[in-house]
Structures are given as C-alpha cells and as structure tokens.
Amino acid sequence: QHASAAPLCSTDIKWWKLLCASACLRHRAAMSTLLINQPTYAWLRELGLREENDGVYNGTWGGRGEVVTSYCPANNEPIARVRQATTKDYEETVKKAKEAWKIWADIPAPKRGEIVRQIGDALRRKIKVLGSLVSLEMGKIYVEGVGEVQEYVDVCDYAVGLSRMIGGPVLPSERPGHALIEQWNPVGLVGIITAFNFPVAVYGWNNAIALICGNVCLWKGAPTTPLTSVAVTKIVAEVLEQNNLPGAICSMTCGGAEIGSALAKDERVDLVSFTGSTHVGKLVSLMVQERFGRQLLELGGNNAIVVFEDADLNLVVPSTVFAAVGTAGQRCTTTRRLMLHESIHDDVVERLSKAYKQIRIGDPWDSNTLYGPLHTKEAVEQYKAAIEQAKQQGGTIVCGGKVMDRPGNYVEPTIITGLAHDAPIVHKETFVPILYVLKFKTEEEAFSWNNEVKQGLSSSIFTKDMGRVFRWLGPKGSDCGIVNVNIPTSGAEIGGAFGGEKHTGGGRESGSDSWKQYMRRSTCTINYSKDLPLAQGIKFE
C-alpha cells in the first residue's frame, strides 16, 4: 500500500517547509513569552530550571506525560513548563525507590542524619533564590517564601539531633531472666503529597524526619507549583549524588489526580502523608484505608481567635491581622473566625478596619509588600461566592469584599460582621482572606463556638485570666491540635507536633514525637535464662 502512494511534488514540499517554519516560529514565540526567558527572571536558572523541565526524578531525570505550564499568580503570566509523570513513570520510580531503601535502611541513623545536615546546608546556600521562586510561583510575599525554606532548614537541623535520639524504652519484665524492649524500625517508602500553599516546608517536615528514621520518600507536589518541586528535588538530589547514594532515596513524580490516586492505592507505599483539603483528604484516606495502609493527614482548619474583655488589644489587633491576612488567607492555620466579647466588639472591629486599610498590597517579591495575590483564578471565584453567601446569610461587609482591578488574582482582604455563629458560610472553610467577626457573651459560649466546627486544627484565646487559660487548655477547652494563648493561630514552631483533630485528619508532623508516625514499633521479649516462665503466672505443664 505504501509503495503505491504518490511522491510529493515540489509544491507539496514547499508547503511542508512553510508549515514547519510556522510551527517553529510559534514555538519560539511561546518560549519567548515565558518569564524564565526574560532578563528580570534570569535568577531562575540558578536553580537549574529551564524553559521545559523534567517532572520525574528517581536517580535520573525524565517524564513522559503531559507538559504543563506554571503561571505567576501576581500577573497570570507563564513562568516555565514541566513534563509530568505517566503511570509508567510512576511505576518505574516506585521500583527504584524500593531498591534504594535496601541501601538506605542499612546506614546507621546518625550517618543518615549527616546526609540530612548536608541537605539543610545546601538549602541554606539557595535560600534567597528558592524563596524568590516560592514567591513567584505560589504568590506569597518574599519574606514568607524565604521563611518557608528556613522551615525546611530548621527541620533538617532538628532531624540531625533526632537521628541520635530515636528509640524505644527498656521496660521492666515480670519474668526473671527476661528483657522487655521496644524496637522502632522504618516503615519503608513514604509517599508525600503536598499542597500549593506551602510547596517547600510541608515536604521538608516530612522528608527530613522520614529520612533519619530510615525511610525513602516519593514526593508528588501540587500540580500548580511544579517548578518549586523540581528546584527542591535538584538541591536534594545533588547532595545524594555527592555522597554516592541512590537518587531514588528522594524521588519525585509531578502530576495530578492520576498520580495521587496511584500512590494512595499502592500497597508498596508504606505511609501516605497527605496535606490538602478535607474533601480530597477524605478520598485519599478511603483509598489508603481500603488496603489497610498507614496514613498521615494534614487537612483543613476553620480556626478561631477568641478575645475576652480583659485582653491586651495591642496584642489582639496585630495578631489578628497577621493570622487573617498573611499568605492572603491561604494557610491551613489562617484565622477565619474572630470571636469578640460583646463589651469590646465595636472597638476591636474599628481598630481592625483601620489596620486593614493600611495593608500594603503589591507584587509579592517587592520587599514592601505585606499582601499578595490568591494562588489561582478559581480561588478568586471562591472568594466572590463566599462574599455573596455571607451577604445572603445576614453578614455586613465592614471593609474589603471586592476583586481588585489589577493584573493577577488580587482580592481585597475582608472583614464581615453580623453573622450567626452557626451560619453555613461561617462553618465552611473558604481558603481566602475573609474574616467573620462574631459577638459572644460568656466563656462557655465562646469555647462551645470554637469547637462546633468540623475541623480542629488551630485556636487561640486572648486573656489575662490564668484560670481561664487553664480551662482553655483543659478537657472542656479547645478541641484543636494547636491551642494558643495570647498569640495568633498561625506561625507554628517546628519543635512542636503540628496537626489537628476531627476533619483536620489527626496527623502530626515536625517536632515532639511526630517521628513515630514514620516508624513501626515492635515489642520484643528476650529470654536470656534457661527457664520458661509464662506471663501472668500461668502454669502449662
């Protein structure tokens, strides 16, 4: 059949060349519009990024999936492209990660800690340029971008010390000539699925602790922040390669729901750590539970600050502004509900309104900016919908409430009063900078309102009453995983366990004894005598 086809004539060849030339010109034009090719953003190449980047790493770089473009939320202009993973890429990566674990698990924990120390140092050397990328791709202000990388660095430092401390107790045995001990071993392969709002730090919390525990990691970052995933992985991979270790110890597969589902369902993934919305987290949880897998969930938060009549308002106002407006309301610990005692309600609202009007809005990488854009156009639509629902349910907009007329995904930080504490919109976590102000009468009422939402991540009270402080911390106080006094709901330190209760998922990451989530425990009884006494004094003769 092919032999009978007519040969191309000169006219056909001419048109073919024109078509190829046109396609080439279109490709060049598309590439020239990418921010990475503009002199202002030449620093992106310091992170090893280029126009089109491989989105798979398992010791070698690759990716055979869809090419996606990453956009800057401040102007919606394309930054660069990433070729995502296919399910075949994922399969190959899991196999290489499991092989790499056989090497990594044999390395003593303090030696693993030394590798993590080097990762922390490598991040330190790139902290400003990597923080700039977070700002450019995620949209948070520059100081927050750098601060996020600093969190990864801090967790690396913490993990280095932890690598010489993890272990179980020697317990007293009731049987003579017997030893009773707890042995902790790595789970194996930790799958880490992270969200757009902290594209570096959340991976860092998981990665550093998981590594010193003897696990290998497979990271699937958010589909809208793939360049950050690639840049971080390049930094980590270089450390592994310099130490002649398999790169697959810290693998990465960029992708969307298909890759995430594959990871959640995969019995070879010994722990799935998922950070994201409660809705998606529930789907992931069901997939993992169906195979009786282990999971660590960090989901939503509908966080409240409760302000009593004796509070220091000079602390309350800046704390609320930082917690409600910081990261444009896109932290899981963002304050979404502000409960004010009726005697101070009007005064605090007036002070807050004045403070909101002084917030410096602008490009996130400008050092003077305090408030940047929302991450996506979809988030802008969610903001508009929430404003309308709040109005319909009886809310009054004190300030803000509008989409800003400028390039990018900018909305006005908003304060809404007059809603009932149990209004549907108040109980819904909307990942935007809207603060619902509620008026309460009694301590019992305030504590009850704090706990009535489905999430249980972070909470805070402002008071000078020490009795109230300890009631707040006690069994009838806040039901959240983070319970603060006279500080905001956001801005957690790495030394404590981070996580929440109820629909927040119950997982704990970072400090305290969170390392136990990445290990399996065995209770071991060792008989070093010549007798065989049974527990509970049982005779079996």
Side-chain angles (χ1 to χ4, degrees):
Q1 290 178 348
H2 290 290
S4 63
L8 288 171
C9 68
S10 59
T11 306
D12 292 330
I13 293 169
K14 181 181 177 181
W15 277 108
W16 177 249
K17 286 181 177 178
L18 283 170
L19 283 170
C20 289
S22 175
C24 186
L25 284 170
R26 284 199 304 272
H27 177 74
R28 286 178 182 172
M31 287 299 187
S32 68
T33 62
L34 296 175
L35 295 184
I36 195 170
N37 288 324
Q38 297 179 17
T40 307
Y41 304 99
W43 52 266
L44 287 165
R45 297 186 184 273
E46 295 176 36
L47 292 165
L49 299 175
R50 52 184 190 267
E51 292 92 344
E52 187 171 304
N53 302 274
D54 293 330
V56 176
Y57 180 74
N58 51 33
T60 56
W61 288 91
R64 291 164 287 191
E66 179 187 358
V67 176
V68 295
T69 303
S70 177
Y71 291 89
C72 172
N75 51 33
N76 284 318
E77 292 183 17
I79 306 168
R81 298 191 177 97
V82 175
R83 186 173 289 279
Q84 294 184 325
T86 61
T87 50
K88 188 175 181 181
D89 291 326
Y90 168 81
E91 184 66 26
E92 290 174 2
T93 301
V94 170
K95 287 178 180 176
K96 287 185 178 180
K98 297 296 273 188
E99 287 298 311
W101 179 79
K102 295 175 184 176
I103 297 169
W104 187 243
D106 283 340
I107 297 173
K111 297 293 185 184
R112 297 193 295 256
E114 166 58 19
I115 301 302
V116 172
R117 185 194 67 77
Q118 292 179 34
I119 291 171
D121 283 349
L123 288 162
R124 276 187 181 92
R125 290 191 291 272
K126 300 277 190 180
I127 192 166
K128 290 185 177 179
V129 68
L130 187 55
S132 295
L133 172 60
V134 173
S135 183
L136 185 71
E137 186 176 42
M138 184 271 151
K140 63 177 61 176
I141 61 174
Y142 172 71
V143 290
E144 287 186 328
V146 172
E148 185 177 340
V149 183
Q150 185 64 51
E151 275 197 64
Y152 194 169
V153 171
D154 290 345
V155 173
C156 285
D157 288 347
Y158 173 78
V160 174
L162 197 62
S163 70
R164 293 181 180 271
M165 297 170 65
I166 53 174
V170 177
L171 302 164
S173 173
E174 67 182 60
R175 290 175 279 192
H178 285 60
L180 187 60
I181 67 170
E182 256 184 27
Q183 177 73 23
W184 290 83
N185 286 301
V187 294
L189 172 57
V190 177
I192 304 168
I193 303 175
T194 59
F196 74 86
N197 60 332
F198 280 87
V200 175
V202 173
Y203 175 65
W205 296 348
N206 284 275
N207 173 252
I209 306 296
L211 286 178
I212 63 101
C213 289
N215 302 294
V216 296
C217 300
L218 171 53
W219 182 20
K220 191 202 88 68
T224 52
T225 54
L227 296 173
T228 302
S229 299
V230 171
V232 170
T233 300
K234 283 182 180 290
I235 292 169
V236 175
E238 187 176 0
V239 172
L240 294 173
E241 290 162 9
Q242 287 171 349
N243 286 274
N244 297 313
L245 289 166
I249 289 169
C250 294
S251 299
M252 176 195 68
T253 50
C254 291
E258 185 180 31
I259 299 298
S261 295
L263 195 153
K265 293 176 181 177
D266 196 337
E267 293 193 353
R268 296 167 299 178
V269 179
D270 302 286
L271 167 66
V272 176
S273 174
F274 174 86
T275 302
S277 70
T278 298
H279 170 69
V280 178
K282 185 176 182 180
L283 298 176
V284 170
S285 178
L286 291 171
M287 292 179 205
V288 178
Q289 183 57 43
E290 193 171 26
R291 61 178 175 87
F292 288 100
R294 190 187 287 210
Q295 56 191 295
L296 194 170
L297 301 176
E298 294 287 356
L299 310 178
N302 195 342
N303 316 295
I305 287 178
V306 183
V307 184
F308 287 90
E309 64 272 24
D310 63 339
D312 182 346
L313 299 189
N314 290 325
L315 288 178
V316 170
V317 173
S319 294
T320 303
V321 173
F322 171 72
V325 173
T327 324
Q330 297 170 111
R331 291 176 179 237
C332 50
T333 53
T334 291
T335 297
R336 309 203 180 278
R337 297 177 297 149
L338 176 63
M339 301 175 191
L340 302 173
H341 187 268
E342 59 183 359
S343 65
I344 58 168
H345 176 276
D346 294 351
D347 184 17
V348 174
V349 169
E350 184 180 351
R351 291 193 191 197
L352 275 177
S353 184
K354 287 179 181 177
Y356 266 51
K357 289 169 184 173
Q358 295 170 21
I359 292 166
R360 297 188 301 277
I361 300 169
D363 290 333
W365 48 87
D366 184 332
S367 59
N368 290 317
T369 299
L370 289 179
Y371 174 90
L374 292 176
H375 184 56
T376 61
K377 294 176 181 176
E378 289 76 16
V380 175
E381 293 305 312
Q382 291 168 12
Y383 169 88
K384 289 160 64 178
I387 295 291
E388 287 307 309
Q389 288 173 45
K391 288 179 183 176
Q392 291 167 10
Q393 292 168 28
T396 300
I397 295 175
V398 174
C399 67
K402 299 185 184 71
V403 176
M404 299 180 69
D405 184 16
R406 58 175 291 163
N409 309 319
Y410 286 85
V411 300
E412 294 176 344
T414 302
I415 298 172
I416 298 178
T417 59
L419 285 162
H421 67 92
D422 56 355
I425 192 62
V426 173
H427 277 219
K428 180 181 179 181
E429 182 199 22
T430 310
F431 225 56
V432 296
I434 299 176
L435 180 66
Y436 303 113
V437 181
L438 311 173
K439 187 187 295 186
F440 73 88
K441 296 178 183 293
T442 67
E443 176 186 305
E444 184 181 11
E445 189 175 57
F447 285 12
S448 173
W449 292 1
N450 177 76
N451 295 346
E452 70 184 4
V453 296
K454 290 184 176 180
Q455 300 88 347
L457 179 53
S458 188
S459 57
S460 181
I461 62 166
F462 282 77
T463 184
K464 296 172 187 171
D465 184 331
M466 292 308 295
R468 180 179 290 135
V469 167
F470 284 96
R471 289 191 293 275
W472 172 245
L473 302 179
K476 295 180 180 177
S478 172
D479 64 359
C480 295
I482 298 170
V483 183
N484 293 337
V485 178
N486 295 331
I487 66 166
T489 56
S490 57
E493 296 181 28
I494 63 106
F498 182 91
E501 303 299 326
K502 303 187 296 188
H503 285 216
T504 301
R508 292 297 186 276
E509 293 173 339
S510 195
S512 186
D513 66 348
S514 300
W515 61 269
K516 292 180 178 179
Q517 303 242 14
Y518 304 89
M519 303 194 84
R520 56 180 179 83
R521 172 178 13 202
S522 301
T523 301
C524 310
T525 307
I526 302 161
N527 181 2
Y528 56 88
S529 74
K530 295 182 178 178
D531 299 318
L532 193 64
L534 300 177
Q536 291 83 48
I538 293 173
K539 301 291 184 183
F540 196 78
E541 297 173 351

Short mmCIF file of all heavy atoms in Angstrom, two decimals, residues 146-184:
data_model
loop_
_atom_site.label_atom_id
_atom_site.label_comp_id
_atom_site.label_asym_id
_atom_site.label_seq_id
_atom_site.Cartn_x
_atom_site.Cartn_y
_atom_site.Cartn_z
N VAL A 146 10.97 32.98 51.74
CA VAL A 146 12.26 32.67 52.36
C VAL A 146 12.04 31.97 53.70
O VAL A 146 12.73 30.99 54.03
CB VAL A 146 13.10 33.96 52.56
CG1 VAL A 146 14.35 33.68 53.39
CG2 VAL A 146 13.49 34.55 51.21
N GLY A 147 11.06 32.43 54.46
CA GLY A 147 10.74 31.81 55.75
C GLY A 147 10.33 30.36 55.61
O GLY A 147 10.64 29.53 56.48
N GLU A 148 9.66 30.05 54.51
CA GLU A 148 9.25 28.67 54.27
C GLU A 148 10.45 27.76 54.03
O GLU A 148 10.53 26.64 54.55
CB GLU A 148 8.29 28.62 53.08
CG GLU A 148 7.74 27.24 52.86
CD GLU A 148 6.73 27.17 51.73
OE1 GLU A 148 6.16 28.21 51.36
OE2 GLU A 148 6.53 26.06 51.22
N VAL A 149 11.42 28.24 53.26
CA VAL A 149 12.65 27.47 53.06
C VAL A 149 13.40 27.33 54.38
O VAL A 149 13.97 26.27 54.69
CB VAL A 149 13.55 28.12 51.98
CG1 VAL A 149 14.80 27.27 51.74
CG2 VAL A 149 12.78 28.33 50.68
N GLN A 150 13.37 28.39 55.18
CA GLN A 150 14.01 28.35 56.50
C GLN A 150 13.40 27.24 57.36
O GLN A 150 14.11 26.59 58.14
CB GLN A 150 13.88 29.70 57.19
CG GLN A 150 14.62 29.79 58.53
CD GLN A 150 16.12 29.66 58.37
OE1 GLN A 150 16.73 30.35 57.55
NE2 GLN A 150 16.72 28.75 59.13
N GLU A 151 12.10 27.02 57.24
CA GLU A 151 11.46 25.94 57.98
C GLU A 151 12.07 24.59 57.63
O GLU A 151 12.33 23.76 58.50
CB GLU A 151 9.95 25.91 57.70
CG GLU A 151 9.13 26.83 58.57
CD GLU A 151 7.66 26.47 58.53
OE1 GLU A 151 7.30 25.37 58.98
OE2 GLU A 151 6.87 27.30 58.06
N TYR A 152 12.29 24.35 56.34
CA TYR A 152 12.91 23.10 55.89
C TYR A 152 14.31 23.00 56.50
O TYR A 152 14.71 21.94 57.02
CB TYR A 152 12.95 23.08 54.36
CG TYR A 152 13.26 21.75 53.70
CD1 TYR A 152 13.10 21.62 52.32
CD2 TYR A 152 13.72 20.65 54.41
CE1 TYR A 152 13.37 20.42 51.68
CE2 TYR A 152 14.00 19.44 53.76
CZ TYR A 152 13.82 19.34 52.39
OH TYR A 152 14.10 18.15 51.75
N VAL A 153 15.06 24.09 56.46
CA VAL A 153 16.41 24.12 57.05
C VAL A 153 16.34 23.80 58.54
O VAL A 153 17.12 22.98 59.05
CB VAL A 153 17.07 25.50 56.82
CG1 VAL A 153 18.37 25.62 57.62
CG2 VAL A 153 17.33 25.74 55.34
N ASP A 154 15.40 24.44 59.25
CA ASP A 154 15.27 24.21 60.69
C ASP A 154 14.92 22.76 61.01
O ASP A 154 15.43 22.17 61.97
CB ASP A 154 14.20 25.14 61.28
CG ASP A 154 14.62 26.60 61.29
OD1 ASP A 154 15.82 26.89 61.11
OD2 ASP A 154 13.73 27.47 61.45
N VAL A 155 14.03 22.18 60.21
CA VAL A 155 13.65 20.79 60.43
C VAL A 155 14.83 19.86 60.16
O VAL A 155 15.01 18.85 60.84
CB VAL A 155 12.41 20.40 59.58
CG1 VAL A 155 12.12 18.91 59.69
CG2 VAL A 155 11.19 21.18 60.02
N CYS A 156 15.67 20.21 59.18
CA CYS A 156 16.89 19.42 58.94
C CYS A 156 17.79 19.46 60.17
O CYS A 156 18.30 18.42 60.61
CB CYS A 156 17.65 19.96 57.72
SG CYS A 156 16.91 19.53 56.13
N ASP A 157 17.99 20.64 60.74
CA ASP A 157 18.80 20.77 61.97
C ASP A 157 18.21 19.92 63.09
O ASP A 157 18.93 19.22 63.82
CB ASP A 157 18.86 22.23 62.42
CG ASP A 157 19.74 23.09 61.51
OD1 ASP A 157 20.48 22.52 60.68
OD2 ASP A 157 19.67 24.33 61.63
N TYR A 158 16.89 20.00 63.24
CA TYR A 158 16.20 19.24 64.28
C TYR A 158 16.38 17.73 64.06
O TYR A 158 16.66 16.97 64.99
CB TYR A 158 14.72 19.63 64.26
CG TYR A 158 13.83 18.81 65.17
CD1 TYR A 158 13.80 19.05 66.54
CD2 TYR A 158 13.01 17.82 64.65
CE1 TYR A 158 12.98 18.30 67.38
CE2 TYR A 158 12.20 17.06 65.47
CZ TYR A 158 12.18 17.31 66.83
OH TYR A 158 11.37 16.57 67.66
N ALA A 159 16.25 17.32 62.79
CA ALA A 159 16.34 15.90 62.46
C ALA A 159 17.74 15.33 62.70
O ALA A 159 17.89 14.17 63.06
CB ALA A 159 15.92 15.68 61.00
N VAL A 160 18.76 16.18 62.49
CA VAL A 160 20.13 15.73 62.73
C VAL A 160 20.29 15.30 64.19
O VAL A 160 20.80 14.21 64.48
CB VAL A 160 21.15 16.83 62.39
CG1 VAL A 160 22.56 16.39 62.79
CG2 VAL A 160 21.12 17.15 60.91
N GLY A 161 19.83 16.13 65.13
CA GLY A 161 19.89 15.76 66.54
C GLY A 161 19.03 14.55 66.84
O GLY A 161 19.43 13.65 67.59
N LEU A 162 17.86 14.51 66.22
CA LEU A 162 16.92 13.41 66.44
C LEU A 162 17.52 12.07 66.00
O LEU A 162 17.20 11.02 66.57
CB LEU A 162 15.62 13.69 65.68
CG LEU A 162 14.37 12.91 66.05
CD1 LEU A 162 13.97 13.19 67.50
CD2 LEU A 162 13.23 13.28 65.10
N SER A 163 18.39 12.10 64.99
CA SER A 163 18.97 10.85 64.47
C SER A 163 19.82 10.12 65.50
O SER A 163 20.12 8.94 65.33
CB SER A 163 19.81 11.15 63.22
OG SER A 163 21.00 11.85 63.56
N ARG A 164 20.21 10.81 66.57
CA ARG A 164 20.96 10.17 67.65
C ARG A 164 20.10 9.90 68.88
O ARG A 164 20.62 9.50 69.94
CB ARG A 164 22.16 11.04 68.05
CG ARG A 164 23.21 11.14 66.95
CD ARG A 164 24.40 11.98 67.39
NE ARG A 164 25.39 12.07 66.31
CZ ARG A 164 26.38 11.19 66.13
NH1 ARG A 164 26.52 10.16 66.94
NH2 ARG A 164 27.24 11.34 65.13
N MET A 165 18.80 10.13 68.76
CA MET A 165 17.93 10.04 69.94
C MET A 165 16.74 9.10 69.77
O MET A 165 16.15 8.67 70.77
CB MET A 165 17.39 11.44 70.29
CG MET A 165 18.48 12.42 70.68
SD MET A 165 17.85 14.11 70.79
CE MET A 165 16.71 13.96 72.15
N ILE A 166 16.33 8.81 68.54
CA ILE A 166 15.12 7.99 68.35
C ILE A 166 15.35 6.58 68.91
O ILE A 166 16.42 6.02 68.79
CB ILE A 166 14.71 7.91 66.87
CG1 ILE A 166 15.87 7.45 65.98
CG2 ILE A 166 14.13 9.22 66.39
CD1 ILE A 166 15.49 7.22 64.54
N GLY A 167 14.35 6.05 69.53
CA GLY A 167 14.45 4.70 70.09
C GLY A 167 13.37 4.47 71.10
O GLY A 167 12.65 5.39 71.50
N GLY A 168 13.25 3.21 71.52
CA GLY A 168 12.22 2.83 72.47
C GLY A 168 12.79 2.51 73.83
O GLY A 168 14.00 2.35 73.98
N PRO A 169 11.92 2.37 74.81
CA PRO A 169 12.39 2.11 76.18
C PRO A 169 12.73 0.64 76.42
O PRO A 169 12.30 -0.24 75.69
CB PRO A 169 11.17 2.52 77.02
CG PRO A 169 10.00 2.25 76.13
CD PRO A 169 10.48 2.56 74.74
N VAL A 170 13.52 0.41 77.46
CA VAL A 170 13.69 -0.93 78.03
C VAL A 170 12.72 -0.99 79.20
O VAL A 170 12.81 -0.20 80.15
CB VAL A 170 15.14 -1.15 78.51
CG1 VAL A 170 15.26 -2.52 79.15
CG2 VAL A 170 16.11 -1.01 77.35
N LEU A 171 11.77 -1.91 79.13
CA LEU A 171 10.69 -1.97 80.12
C LEU A 171 10.96 -3.09 81.14
O LEU A 171 11.59 -4.11 80.80
CB LEU A 171 9.36 -2.23 79.40
CG LEU A 171 8.99 -1.17 78.35
CD1 LEU A 171 7.90 -1.70 77.42
CD2 LEU A 171 8.53 0.11 79.02
N PRO A 172 10.49 -2.92 82.36
CA PRO A 172 10.69 -3.99 83.35
C PRO A 172 9.84 -5.21 83.01
O PRO A 172 8.64 -5.10 82.76
CB PRO A 172 10.23 -3.36 84.67
CG PRO A 172 9.64 -2.04 84.34
CD PRO A 172 9.80 -1.75 82.90
N SER A 173 10.46 -6.37 82.98
CA SER A 173 9.74 -7.62 82.72
C SER A 173 9.34 -8.25 84.04
O SER A 173 10.08 -8.19 85.02
CB SER A 173 10.62 -8.58 81.93
OG SER A 173 9.98 -9.85 81.80
N GLU A 174 8.15 -8.86 84.06
CA GLU A 174 7.70 -9.55 85.27
C GLU A 174 8.32 -10.93 85.40
O GLU A 174 8.18 -11.59 86.42
CB GLU A 174 6.17 -9.66 85.27
CG GLU A 174 5.62 -10.58 84.17
CD GLU A 174 4.10 -10.63 84.16
OE1 GLU A 174 3.48 -9.56 83.96
OE2 GLU A 174 3.55 -11.73 84.35
N ARG A 175 9.05 -11.37 84.36
CA ARG A 175 9.63 -12.71 84.36
C ARG A 175 11.13 -12.65 84.63
O ARG A 175 11.84 -11.86 83.98
CB ARG A 175 9.36 -13.40 83.02
CG ARG A 175 7.89 -13.76 82.83
CD ARG A 175 7.60 -14.33 81.47
NE ARG A 175 7.45 -13.29 80.45
CZ ARG A 175 6.96 -13.51 79.24
NH1 ARG A 175 6.60 -14.73 78.88
NH2 ARG A 175 6.85 -12.52 78.37
N PRO A 176 11.63 -13.46 85.51
CA PRO A 176 13.08 -13.46 85.78
C PRO A 176 13.86 -13.87 84.53
O PRO A 176 13.40 -14.72 83.75
CB PRO A 176 13.25 -14.52 86.89
CG PRO A 176 11.88 -14.79 87.40
CD PRO A 176 10.91 -14.44 86.33
N GLY A 177 15.01 -13.25 84.34
CA GLY A 177 15.87 -13.63 83.22
C GLY A 177 15.31 -13.23 81.87
O GLY A 177 15.67 -13.80 80.84
N HIS A 178 14.46 -12.24 81.86
CA HIS A 178 13.85 -11.77 80.60
C HIS A 178 14.06 -10.25 80.45
O HIS A 178 14.09 -9.53 81.44
CB HIS A 178 12.35 -12.06 80.56
CG HIS A 178 12.02 -13.50 80.31
ND1 HIS A 178 12.43 -14.51 81.13
CD2 HIS A 178 11.31 -14.08 79.29
CE1 HIS A 178 11.99 -15.68 80.65
NE2 HIS A 178 11.30 -15.44 79.54
N ALA A 179 14.19 -9.81 79.24
CA ALA A 179 14.25 -8.37 78.92
C ALA A 179 13.08 -8.02 78.02
O ALA A 179 12.71 -8.79 77.12
CB ALA A 179 15.57 -8.03 78.24
N LEU A 180 12.49 -6.88 78.28
CA LEU A 180 11.34 -6.41 77.50
C LEU A 180 11.71 -5.06 76.91
O LEU A 180 11.95 -4.10 77.64
CB LEU A 180 10.11 -6.28 78.42
CG LEU A 180 8.77 -5.95 77.76
CD1 LEU A 180 8.35 -7.02 76.76
CD2 LEU A 180 7.69 -5.80 78.85
N ILE A 181 11.79 -4.98 75.59
CA ILE A 181 12.22 -3.74 74.93
C ILE A 181 11.28 -3.38 73.80
O ILE A 181 10.53 -4.22 73.29
CB ILE A 181 13.67 -3.84 74.39
CG1 ILE A 181 13.73 -4.86 73.22
CG2 ILE A 181 14.66 -4.20 75.47
CD1 ILE A 181 15.06 -4.84 72.49
N GLU A 182 11.32 -2.09 73.42
CA GLU A 182 10.60 -1.60 72.24
C GLU A 182 11.61 -1.33 71.13
O GLU A 182 12.58 -0.60 71.35
CB GLU A 182 9.89 -0.29 72.57
CG GLU A 182 8.40 -0.43 72.77
CD GLU A 182 7.72 0.92 72.99
OE1 GLU A 182 8.24 1.94 72.52
OE2 GLU A 182 6.69 0.92 73.65
N GLN A 183 11.37 -1.91 69.99
CA GLN A 183 12.25 -1.69 68.83
C GLN A 183 11.49 -0.90 67.77
O GLN A 183 10.36 -1.25 67.41
CB GLN A 183 12.70 -3.04 68.26
CG GLN A 183 13.55 -2.97 67.01
CD GLN A 183 14.96 -2.48 67.30
OE1 GLN A 183 15.45 -2.60 68.42
NE2 GLN A 183 15.61 -1.93 66.30
N TRP A 184 12.10 0.19 67.28
CA TRP A 184 11.48 1.02 66.25
C TRP A 184 12.25 0.86 64.94
O TRP A 184 13.48 1.01 64.91
CB TRP A 184 11.47 2.49 66.67
CG TRP A 184 10.53 2.77 67.79
CD1 TRP A 184 10.76 2.60 69.12
CD2 TRP A 184 9.19 3.25 67.68
NE1 TRP A 184 9.66 2.95 69.86
CE2 TRP A 184 8.68 3.36 69.00
CE3 TRP A 184 8.38 3.61 66.60
CZ2 TRP A 184 7.39 3.81 69.26
CZ3 TRP A 184 7.09 4.07 66.88
CH2 TRP A 184 6.60 4.17 68.18
#
